[in-house]
Amino acid sequence: MGRRRHPDLYCAPFPLYVVRFHRDTGTVVTGGGGGASKTGIKNALHFLRLERISGRISASLLHAYDTDTKATMSLALTGDMLATGQDDCCHILQYQHRQGDGRNDQTGVNDRGSRKRKPSKSNPEASAGGTKNETPEISLHPVTVVQTDLSPDHLQKAVCFNVDSTKLLTGGADGCVRVWEFPGMKKLYDFKAHEGEIEDITVSPDNKVVTVGQDFRCCVWESDQLLSELNWNENLPNIPDRMYKYRSCRFGKVLDQKKSLRLYTVQIPHKRERRPPQCYITKWDGHSFLPLLTEPCGNEVISCLAVSDCGTFLGLGSVTGSVAIYISFSLQKLYYVHEAHGIVVTDLAFIPDSKEGRALRGDNEAAMLSVAVDSRCKLHVLPNRRTYPVWLLFILCAVLVIGAIILLQYTFPDFF
Protein backbone atom coordinates (compact mmCIF):
# COMPACT_ATOMS: atom_id res chain seq x y z
CA MET A 1 0.00 0.00 0.00
CA GLY A 2 1.42 3.41 -1.03
CA ARG A 3 1.99 6.41 1.15
CA ARG A 4 -1.16 8.39 1.92
CA ARG A 5 -1.28 11.54 -0.16
CA HIS A 6 -1.80 14.95 1.45
CA PRO A 7 -5.24 16.16 0.26
CA ASP A 8 -5.63 19.02 -2.23
CA LEU A 9 -7.42 22.22 -1.31
CA TYR A 10 -7.59 23.38 -4.94
CA CYS A 11 -6.18 22.22 -8.27
CA ALA A 12 -5.58 24.72 -11.07
CA PRO A 13 -5.23 23.93 -14.80
CA PHE A 14 -1.71 25.41 -14.83
CA PRO A 15 1.46 25.43 -12.68
CA LEU A 16 1.15 27.67 -9.62
CA TYR A 17 3.95 30.03 -8.59
CA VAL A 18 2.40 32.51 -6.15
CA VAL A 19 -0.23 32.55 -3.39
CA ARG A 20 -1.43 35.41 -1.17
CA PHE A 21 -4.29 35.88 1.27
CA HIS A 22 -6.20 39.14 0.87
CA ARG A 23 -6.70 40.38 4.43
CA ASP A 24 -9.66 42.68 3.75
CA THR A 25 -11.84 40.23 1.83
CA GLY A 26 -10.60 36.83 2.97
CA THR A 27 -9.94 35.88 -0.65
CA VAL A 28 -6.97 33.78 -1.73
CA VAL A 29 -5.13 34.97 -4.83
CA THR A 30 -2.97 32.46 -6.66
CA GLY A 31 -1.39 32.58 -10.09
CA GLY A 32 1.04 31.06 -12.55
CA GLY A 33 0.89 29.48 -15.97
CA GLY A 34 2.88 27.93 -18.77
CA GLY A 35 4.40 31.16 -20.05
CA ALA A 36 4.75 32.00 -23.72
CA SER A 37 5.38 28.41 -24.81
CA LYS A 38 2.70 27.08 -27.15
CA THR A 39 1.77 24.08 -25.04
CA GLY A 40 -1.85 25.01 -24.45
CA ILE A 41 -1.23 25.68 -20.75
CA LYS A 42 -3.04 28.81 -19.62
CA ASN A 43 -1.63 31.82 -17.78
CA ALA A 44 -3.99 33.28 -15.20
CA LEU A 45 -4.71 34.60 -11.73
CA HIS A 46 -7.31 32.63 -9.79
CA PHE A 47 -9.31 34.09 -6.91
CA LEU A 48 -10.53 31.54 -4.38
CA ARG A 49 -13.09 31.74 -1.61
CA LEU A 50 -12.28 29.72 1.50
CA GLU A 51 -15.12 28.45 3.67
CA ARG A 52 -15.29 26.31 6.78
CA ILE A 53 -17.87 23.60 6.16
CA SER A 54 -18.51 20.90 8.76
CA GLY A 55 -15.27 21.80 10.49
CA ARG A 56 -13.14 21.58 7.32
CA ILE A 57 -11.85 24.30 5.02
CA SER A 58 -12.87 24.09 1.37
CA ALA A 59 -12.00 26.30 -1.60
CA SER A 60 -14.09 27.40 -4.57
CA LEU A 61 -13.13 29.45 -7.62
CA LEU A 62 -14.62 32.94 -7.59
CA HIS A 63 -12.91 34.51 -10.57
CA ALA A 64 -10.26 33.77 -13.19
CA TYR A 65 -8.24 36.57 -14.78
CA ASP A 66 -6.42 35.69 -18.00
CA THR A 67 -2.84 37.05 -18.22
CA ASP A 68 -2.44 36.26 -21.91
CA THR A 69 1.00 34.77 -22.68
CA LYS A 70 2.66 35.77 -19.40
CA ALA A 71 2.85 33.64 -16.28
CA THR A 72 2.71 35.41 -12.91
CA MET A 73 5.98 34.65 -11.08
CA SER A 74 5.77 37.15 -8.19
CA LEU A 75 2.90 38.90 -6.43
CA ALA A 76 2.26 41.55 -3.77
CA LEU A 77 -1.06 42.84 -2.42
CA THR A 78 -2.04 46.06 -0.67
CA GLY A 79 -5.58 47.34 -0.19
CA ASP A 80 -7.41 47.02 -3.49
CA MET A 81 -4.23 46.87 -5.61
CA LEU A 82 -2.17 43.95 -6.92
CA ALA A 83 1.40 44.08 -8.22
CA THR A 84 2.20 41.06 -10.39
CA GLY A 85 5.57 40.15 -11.87
CA GLN A 86 5.17 38.82 -15.41
CA ASP A 87 8.31 38.32 -17.50
CA ASP A 88 10.34 41.57 -17.25
CA CYS A 89 7.39 43.77 -16.26
CA CYS A 90 5.32 44.61 -13.23
CA HIS A 91 1.59 44.83 -13.91
CA ILE A 92 -0.52 46.92 -11.51
CA LEU A 93 -4.14 45.78 -11.24
CA GLN A 94 -7.04 47.26 -9.30
CA TYR A 95 -9.12 44.74 -7.43
CA GLN A 96 -12.82 45.11 -6.70
CA HIS A 97 -14.70 42.70 -4.46
CA ARG A 98 -18.35 43.09 -3.55
CA GLN A 99 -21.05 40.85 -2.24
CA GLY A 100 -23.37 40.00 -5.09
CA ASP A 101 -26.79 41.48 -4.40
CA GLY A 102 -27.91 42.06 -7.94
CA ARG A 103 -30.24 39.89 -9.97
CA ASN A 104 -29.33 37.66 -12.87
CA ASP A 105 -31.79 38.98 -15.43
CA GLN A 106 -30.62 37.18 -18.55
CA THR A 107 -28.88 34.13 -19.79
CA GLY A 108 -25.16 34.60 -20.23
CA VAL A 109 -21.74 34.00 -18.77
CA ASN A 110 -20.73 35.54 -15.45
CA ASP A 111 -17.28 36.54 -14.21
CA ARG A 112 -16.39 32.99 -13.27
CA GLY A 113 -17.34 31.56 -16.63
CA SER A 114 -20.39 29.60 -15.41
CA ARG A 115 -23.77 29.87 -17.13
CA LYS A 116 -26.47 32.09 -15.64
CA ARG A 117 -29.82 30.38 -15.21
CA LYS A 118 -32.64 31.58 -17.47
CA PRO A 119 -35.69 32.93 -15.57
CA SER A 120 -38.70 30.65 -15.39
CA LYS A 121 -41.93 31.80 -17.04
CA SER A 122 -43.92 30.30 -14.18
CA ASN A 123 -42.18 32.55 -11.65
CA PRO A 124 -43.21 36.20 -12.25
CA GLU A 125 -40.78 37.53 -9.65
CA ALA A 126 -37.86 35.72 -11.26
CA SER A 127 -38.98 36.80 -14.72
CA ALA A 128 -39.23 40.42 -13.67
CA GLY A 129 -36.06 40.80 -11.70
CA GLY A 130 -34.12 37.55 -11.92
CA THR A 131 -32.89 35.41 -9.03
CA LYS A 132 -30.91 37.01 -6.24
CA ASN A 133 -27.19 36.31 -6.54
CA GLU A 134 -25.39 36.27 -3.18
CA THR A 135 -22.06 35.06 -4.57
CA PRO A 136 -19.18 37.56 -4.13
CA GLU A 137 -18.32 39.34 -7.36
CA ILE A 138 -14.73 40.14 -8.32
CA SER A 139 -13.41 42.33 -11.10
CA LEU A 140 -9.87 43.35 -12.07
CA HIS A 141 -8.86 46.43 -14.01
CA PRO A 142 -5.37 47.02 -15.44
CA VAL A 143 -3.86 50.26 -14.13
CA THR A 144 -0.34 50.44 -15.54
CA VAL A 145 2.67 48.37 -16.61
CA VAL A 146 6.35 49.19 -16.02
CA GLN A 147 9.50 47.36 -17.08
CA THR A 148 11.38 46.13 -14.03
CA ASP A 149 14.19 43.99 -15.45
CA LEU A 150 16.68 44.69 -18.23
CA SER A 151 18.50 41.36 -18.34
CA PRO A 152 18.44 38.95 -21.31
CA ASP A 153 16.41 36.57 -19.11
CA HIS A 154 13.51 39.06 -18.89
CA LEU A 155 12.46 38.05 -15.39
CA GLN A 156 11.22 40.03 -12.39
CA LYS A 157 11.93 37.71 -9.47
CA ALA A 158 10.71 39.65 -6.43
CA VAL A 159 8.21 42.37 -5.57
CA CYS A 160 7.06 43.86 -2.25
CA PHE A 161 5.52 46.99 -0.73
CA ASN A 162 6.92 49.05 2.11
CA VAL A 163 4.90 49.23 5.33
CA ASP A 164 2.64 52.17 4.38
CA SER A 165 2.37 51.04 0.73
CA THR A 166 3.74 54.32 -0.63
CA LYS A 167 6.61 52.53 -2.38
CA LEU A 168 6.89 49.36 -4.43
CA LEU A 169 10.22 47.55 -4.69
CA THR A 170 11.10 45.15 -7.50
CA GLY A 171 14.13 42.94 -8.07
CA GLY A 172 15.08 41.20 -11.26
CA ALA A 173 17.50 38.86 -12.91
CA ASP A 174 19.75 41.84 -13.71
CA GLY A 175 20.59 42.22 -9.99
CA CYS A 176 19.04 45.70 -9.71
CA VAL A 177 16.53 46.92 -7.14
CA ARG A 178 14.08 49.47 -8.49
CA VAL A 179 12.00 51.60 -6.15
CA TRP A 180 8.73 53.03 -7.47
CA GLU A 181 6.35 55.64 -6.10
CA PHE A 182 3.00 53.94 -5.57
CA PRO A 183 0.40 53.99 -7.02
CA GLY A 184 1.73 56.39 -9.65
CA MET A 185 4.61 54.00 -10.50
CA LYS A 186 7.11 56.76 -11.12
CA LYS A 187 10.61 55.38 -10.63
CA LEU A 188 12.26 57.07 -7.65
CA TYR A 189 15.68 55.42 -7.93
CA ASP A 190 17.43 52.16 -8.67
CA PHE A 191 20.73 50.56 -7.68
CA LYS A 192 22.83 47.50 -8.41
CA ALA A 193 22.33 45.26 -5.39
CA HIS A 194 23.87 41.97 -6.57
CA GLU A 195 25.95 40.44 -9.29
CA GLY A 196 23.47 38.07 -10.87
CA GLU A 197 19.87 37.41 -10.00
CA ILE A 198 18.10 38.80 -6.96
CA GLU A 199 16.38 35.96 -5.11
CA ASP A 200 14.29 37.85 -2.56
CA ILE A 201 13.49 41.28 -1.10
CA THR A 202 11.94 42.27 2.22
CA VAL A 203 11.34 45.66 3.87
CA SER A 204 11.36 46.44 7.60
CA PRO A 205 8.88 48.79 9.35
CA ASP A 206 11.58 51.50 9.42
CA ASN A 207 12.17 51.09 5.65
CA LYS A 208 15.42 49.12 5.82
CA VAL A 209 15.62 46.92 2.73
CA VAL A 210 17.18 43.45 2.81
CA THR A 211 18.08 41.66 -0.41
CA VAL A 212 19.54 38.24 -1.15
CA GLY A 213 21.12 37.22 -4.42
CA GLN A 214 22.84 34.38 -6.19
CA ASP A 215 26.21 36.02 -5.49
CA PHE A 216 26.27 34.55 -1.93
CA ARG A 217 25.42 37.94 -0.39
CA CYS A 218 22.69 39.20 1.91
CA CYS A 219 22.69 42.99 2.07
CA VAL A 220 20.96 45.65 4.17
CA TRP A 221 20.16 48.95 2.43
CA GLU A 222 18.85 52.36 3.43
CA SER A 223 17.57 53.99 0.26
CA ASP A 224 20.34 53.11 -2.21
CA GLN A 225 23.15 53.06 0.37
CA LEU A 226 24.63 49.78 1.60
CA LEU A 227 24.50 49.65 5.41
CA SER A 228 25.90 46.18 6.02
CA GLU A 229 26.51 42.78 4.51
CA LEU A 230 25.36 39.89 6.68
CA ASN A 231 27.56 36.91 7.48
CA TRP A 232 25.47 34.05 8.85
CA ASN A 233 28.36 31.60 9.37
CA GLU A 234 30.78 33.85 11.23
CA ASN A 235 30.27 31.74 14.36
CA LEU A 236 30.40 28.48 12.39
CA PRO A 237 34.06 28.17 11.37
CA ASN A 238 33.61 24.72 9.83
CA ILE A 239 31.42 26.10 7.02
CA PRO A 240 33.35 27.77 4.16
CA ASP A 241 32.03 31.08 2.80
CA ARG A 242 31.22 29.82 -0.70
CA MET A 243 29.61 26.56 0.35
CA TYR A 244 26.17 28.12 0.95
CA LYS A 245 24.09 30.85 -0.63
CA TYR A 246 21.09 32.76 0.68
CA ARG A 247 17.70 31.72 -0.66
CA SER A 248 15.03 33.77 1.16
CA CYS A 249 14.61 36.59 3.68
CA ARG A 250 11.63 37.80 5.71
CA PHE A 251 11.04 40.19 8.61
CA GLY A 252 8.82 39.08 11.47
CA LYS A 253 7.31 40.49 14.64
CA VAL A 254 8.13 39.32 18.16
CA LEU A 255 5.07 38.34 20.16
CA ASP A 256 4.40 40.66 23.13
CA GLN A 257 7.44 42.81 22.26
CA LYS A 258 6.25 45.66 20.06
CA LYS A 259 9.66 47.32 19.73
CA SER A 260 11.49 44.12 18.80
CA LEU A 261 11.94 42.87 15.27
CA ARG A 262 13.47 39.75 13.74
CA LEU A 263 14.91 38.94 10.34
CA TYR A 264 14.91 35.35 9.12
CA THR A 265 17.10 34.03 6.32
CA VAL A 266 17.44 30.61 4.73
CA GLN A 267 20.78 29.28 3.48
CA ILE A 268 21.00 26.42 0.98
CA PRO A 269 24.01 24.52 -0.45
CA HIS A 270 25.53 26.18 -3.49
CA LYS A 271 26.33 22.85 -5.18
CA ARG A 272 24.11 19.82 -5.51
CA GLU A 273 25.86 16.78 -4.08
CA ARG A 274 25.02 13.12 -4.02
CA ARG A 275 24.65 13.32 -0.25
CA PRO A 276 23.29 16.84 0.20
CA PRO A 277 24.41 18.76 3.30
CA GLN A 278 22.03 20.45 5.72
CA CYS A 279 20.19 23.66 4.96
CA TYR A 280 20.07 26.31 7.69
CA ILE A 281 17.71 28.95 9.12
CA THR A 282 19.20 32.02 10.80
CA LYS A 283 17.39 34.43 13.09
CA TRP A 284 18.77 37.97 13.27
CA ASP A 285 18.01 41.02 15.37
CA GLY A 286 15.95 43.16 13.01
CA HIS A 287 17.52 46.43 14.18
CA SER A 288 21.20 45.65 14.76
CA PHE A 289 21.30 42.78 12.23
CA LEU A 290 23.37 40.62 14.55
CA PRO A 291 22.83 36.84 14.31
CA LEU A 292 20.88 35.43 17.25
CA LEU A 293 20.42 31.76 16.37
CA THR A 294 21.20 29.37 13.52
CA GLU A 295 19.69 25.90 13.26
CA PRO A 296 19.77 23.17 10.58
CA CYS A 297 16.48 22.49 8.79
CA GLY A 298 17.10 19.20 7.01
CA ASN A 299 18.76 17.94 3.86
CA GLU A 300 15.97 18.90 1.46
CA VAL A 301 16.88 22.09 -0.40
CA ILE A 302 14.61 24.94 0.72
CA SER A 303 12.76 26.79 -2.04
CA CYS A 304 10.61 29.34 -0.16
CA LEU A 305 10.00 30.93 3.24
CA ALA A 306 6.97 32.53 4.93
CA VAL A 307 6.44 34.15 8.34
CA SER A 308 3.09 34.28 10.16
CA ASP A 309 1.45 37.62 11.04
CA CYS A 310 2.28 37.28 14.72
CA GLY A 311 5.87 36.25 13.95
CA THR A 312 5.53 33.00 15.91
CA PHE A 313 5.72 30.55 13.02
CA LEU A 314 7.93 30.06 9.96
CA GLY A 315 6.87 28.10 6.91
CA LEU A 316 9.38 26.30 4.69
CA GLY A 317 8.87 24.65 1.31
CA SER A 318 11.41 22.45 -0.46
CA VAL A 319 12.37 21.60 -4.03
CA THR A 320 11.24 18.02 -3.39
CA GLY A 321 7.72 19.14 -2.48
CA SER A 322 7.93 18.85 1.31
CA VAL A 323 6.38 21.45 3.64
CA ALA A 324 7.32 22.28 7.25
CA ILE A 325 6.32 24.73 9.98
CA TYR A 326 8.88 25.89 12.57
CA ILE A 327 8.50 27.92 15.73
CA SER A 328 10.46 31.15 15.49
CA PHE A 329 11.60 31.26 19.13
CA SER A 330 13.84 28.18 18.99
CA LEU A 331 13.73 27.38 15.23
CA GLN A 332 12.47 23.89 16.05
CA LYS A 333 10.20 21.94 13.70
CA LEU A 334 6.55 21.59 14.75
CA TYR A 335 4.97 20.22 11.57
CA TYR A 336 6.26 18.33 8.54
CA VAL A 337 4.73 16.63 5.49
CA HIS A 338 7.17 14.72 3.31
CA GLU A 339 6.58 15.44 -0.40
CA ALA A 340 3.20 17.08 0.15
CA HIS A 341 3.57 18.19 -3.47
CA GLY A 342 4.96 16.17 -6.33
CA ILE A 343 7.55 18.79 -7.25
CA VAL A 344 9.10 22.07 -6.05
CA VAL A 345 7.05 24.20 -3.66
CA THR A 346 6.98 27.69 -5.17
CA ASP A 347 5.22 29.79 -2.52
CA LEU A 348 3.66 29.75 0.96
CA ALA A 349 1.15 31.97 2.76
CA PHE A 350 -0.10 31.83 6.34
CA ILE A 351 -3.78 32.52 6.92
CA PRO A 352 -3.55 35.92 8.69
CA ASP A 353 -4.73 36.97 12.13
CA SER A 354 -7.68 38.89 10.71
CA LYS A 355 -11.34 38.33 11.54
CA GLU A 356 -11.81 36.17 8.45
CA GLY A 357 -8.53 34.36 9.07
CA ARG A 358 -9.36 33.45 12.66
CA ALA A 359 -12.78 32.17 11.61
CA LEU A 360 -11.17 29.90 9.01
CA ARG A 361 -8.40 28.73 11.34
CA GLY A 362 -10.87 27.70 14.04
CA ASP A 363 -9.28 26.05 17.06
CA ASN A 364 -5.98 25.49 15.27
CA GLU A 365 -2.86 27.40 16.22
CA ALA A 366 -1.84 28.17 12.64
CA ALA A 367 -2.89 27.39 9.08
CA MET A 368 -0.78 27.80 5.94
CA LEU A 369 -1.29 27.45 2.20
CA SER A 370 1.31 26.02 -0.16
CA VAL A 371 1.41 26.00 -3.97
CA ALA A 372 3.71 24.19 -6.36
CA VAL A 373 4.49 23.50 -9.98
CA ASP A 374 2.19 20.47 -9.73
CA SER A 375 -0.75 22.94 -10.02
CA ARG A 376 -2.03 22.18 -6.53
CA CYS A 377 -2.82 24.38 -3.57
CA LYS A 378 -2.73 22.57 -0.22
CA LEU A 379 -3.68 23.47 3.32
CA HIS A 380 -1.44 22.76 6.31
CA VAL A 381 -2.93 23.03 9.78
CA LEU A 382 -1.05 23.15 13.08
CA PRO A 383 -3.32 22.01 15.94
CA ASN A 384 -3.18 23.80 19.26
CA ARG A 385 -0.42 22.43 21.45
CA ARG A 386 -1.50 21.34 24.91
CA THR A 387 -0.49 23.81 27.60
CA TYR A 388 -1.03 23.81 31.34
CA PRO A 389 -1.42 26.82 33.67
CA VAL A 390 1.43 27.63 36.03
CA TRP A 391 -0.73 27.22 39.14
CA LEU A 392 -1.50 23.63 38.15
CA LEU A 393 2.22 22.86 37.88
CA PHE A 394 2.79 24.27 41.38
CA ILE A 395 -0.01 22.10 42.76
CA LEU A 396 1.42 19.01 41.08
CA CYS A 397 4.88 19.76 42.52
CA ALA A 398 3.41 20.20 46.01
CA VAL A 399 1.51 16.90 45.71
CA LEU A 400 4.70 15.13 44.60
CA VAL A 401 6.68 16.54 47.56
CA ILE A 402 3.98 15.58 50.07
CA GLY A 403 3.70 12.12 48.51
CA ALA A 404 7.47 11.63 48.75
CA ILE A 405 7.48 12.61 52.45
CA ILE A 406 4.63 10.21 53.21
CA LEU A 407 6.38 7.43 51.33
CA LEU A 408 9.62 8.02 53.24
CA GLN A 409 7.75 8.01 56.56
CA TYR A 410 6.12 4.72 55.71
CA THR A 411 9.33 3.12 54.40
CA PHE A 412 11.73 4.44 57.06
CA PRO A 413 9.62 5.11 60.18
CA ASP A 414 12.74 5.21 62.46
CA PHE A 415 14.07 8.30 60.70
CA PHE A 416 10.99 10.41 61.47
Side-chain angles (χ1 to χ4, degrees):
M1 184 176 179
R3 179 175 58 87
R4 186 177 179 182
R5 183 182 170 191
H6 193 78
D8 298 338
L9 180 66
Y10 177 73
C11 186
F14 50 81
L16 295 175
Y17 296 108
V18 293
V19 62
R20 293 292 183 272
F21 195 100
H22 197 282
R23 297 183 61 90
D24 298 335
T25 64
T27 306
V28 172
V29 186
T30 186
S37 60
K38 298 179 180 179
T39 59
I41 300 176
K42 293 183 178 180
N43 301 286
L45 292 169
H46 277 190
F47 294 77
L48 310 178
R49 176 173 60 177
L50 299 189
E51 297 176 286
R52 178 170 283 275
I53 302 174
S54 300
R56 302 189 62 167
I57 297 177
S58 63
S60 57
L61 178 63
L62 285 178
H63 182 69
Y65 180 82
D66 191 350
T67 57
D68 198 25
T69 60
K70 297 180 178 181
T72 301
M73 306 298 291
S74 56
L75 174 66
L77 306 181
T78 181
D80 62 348
M81 306 294 282
L82 283 74
T84 64
Q86 300 170 14
D87 292 348
D88 59 353
C89 293
C90 187
H91 294 245
I92 306 301
L93 306 171
Q94 188 170 23
Y95 168 94
Q96 291 184 347
H97 179 285
R98 64 182 183 274
Q99 192 71 24
D101 55 0
R103 295 181 179 275
N104 297 335
D105 54 358
Q106 61 182 1
T107 303
V109 179
N110 62 14
D111 284 343
R112 302 184 309 280
S114 58
R115 299 287 296 180
K116 293 181 180 178
R117 187 171 295 177
K118 189 175 181 179
S120 171
K121 293 181 180 179
S122 61
N123 188 345
E125 181 181 350
S127 299
T131 57
K132 188 174 181 180
N133 176 21
E134 296 182 352
T135 304
E137 296 177 358
I138 289 176
S139 60
L140 283 178
H141 306 285
V143 177
T144 188
V145 180
V146 294
Q147 186 175 6
T148 55
D149 180 67
L150 302 179
S151 74
D153 294 330
H154 305 290
L155 181 60
Q156 175 188 301
K157 298 203 67 175
V159 60
C160 68
F161 289 97
N162 68 342
V163 175
D164 59 4
S165 300
T166 58
K167 295 178 182 177
L168 179 71
L169 290 83
T170 62
D174 60 1
C176 290
V177 172
R178 294 174 174 85
V179 181
W180 310 82
E181 180 269 329
F182 191 82
M185 293 305 290
K186 177 183 178 181
K187 188 167 72 172
L188 301 176
Y189 55 89
D190 59 10
F191 57 93
K192 184 74 170 179
H194 296 274
E195 296 298 328
E197 296 182 2
I198 290 177
E199 292 287 359
D200 206 359
I201 300 175
T202 187
V203 184
S204 71
D206 58 353
N207 286 316
K208 299 289 194 307
V209 177
V210 177
T211 62
V212 299
Q214 290 191 354
D215 58 357
F216 304 92
R217 299 167 64 219
C218 178
C219 301
V220 182
W221 307 84
E222 186 165 19
S223 296
D224 57 352
Q225 300 300 309
L226 179 64
L227 292 183
S228 63
E229 188 172 325
L230 305 186
N231 185 11
W232 73 277
N233 60 336
E234 62 182 358
N235 296 322
L236 302 171
N238 295 328
I239 299 179
D241 288 339
R242 293 279 173 168
M243 184 176 177
Y244 283 83
K245 62 181 180 180
Y246 293 92
R247 178 63 186 87
S248 300
C249 58
R250 287 289 184 276
F251 281 102
K253 299 178 182 178
V254 181
L255 193 63
D256 299 328
Q257 298 181 34
K258 291 185 178 181
K259 294 184 179 181
S260 297
L261 185 67
R262 297 290 180 262
L263 171 70
Y264 301 94
T265 61
V266 170
Q267 294 79 231
I268 63 173
H270 171 53
K271 295 181 179 179
R272 299 288 179 88
E273 299 180 8
R274 190 170 183 179
R275 299 182 65 180
Q278 295 269 7
C279 295
Y280 289 90
I281 316 174
T282 300
K283 178 170 64 173
W284 309 77
D285 185 290
H287 298 297
S288 65
F289 296 101
L290 295 175
L292 301 176
L293 181 64
T294 296
E295 291 289 340
C297 53
N299 299 93
E300 295 174 286
V301 177
I302 303 302
S303 56
C304 52
L305 166 69
V307 181
S308 64
D309 271 9
C310 60
T312 305
F313 303 105
L314 311 177
L316 295 179
S318 76
V319 298
T320 54
S322 300
V323 175
I325 298 177
Y326 284 69
I327 189 166
S328 60
F329 173 73
S330 60
L331 301 183
Q332 298 302 305
K333 185 162 50 181
L334 301 176
Y335 170 96
Y336 175 75
V337 179
H338 180 64
E339 295 181 3
H341 294 271
I343 197 170
V344 57
V345 178
T346 49
D347 204 5
L348 302 166
F350 279 95
I351 292 180
D353 291 330
S354 60
K355 180 180 177 182
E356 293 82 3
R358 287 190 294 271
L360 286 170
R361 199 172 62 213
D363 295 331
N364 298 302
E365 198 165 2
M368 184 179 72
L369 302 175
S370 65
V371 296
V373 182
D374 63 2
S375 307
R376 289 170 168 80
C377 177
K378 296 183 183 258
L379 175 69
H380 307 272
V381 173
L382 182 66
N384 269 312
R385 292 165 290 168
R386 291 185 177 181
T387 57
Y388 301 97
V390 176
W391 60 266
L392 181 59
L393 296 177
F394 281 119
I395 291 175
L396 290 174
C397 291
V399 169
L400 289 174
V401 171
I402 294 171
I405 293 173
I406 294 174
L407 180 61
L408 288 172
Q409 286 178 339
Y410 178 79
T411 307
F412 304 103
D414 296 337
F415 287 94
F416 292 91

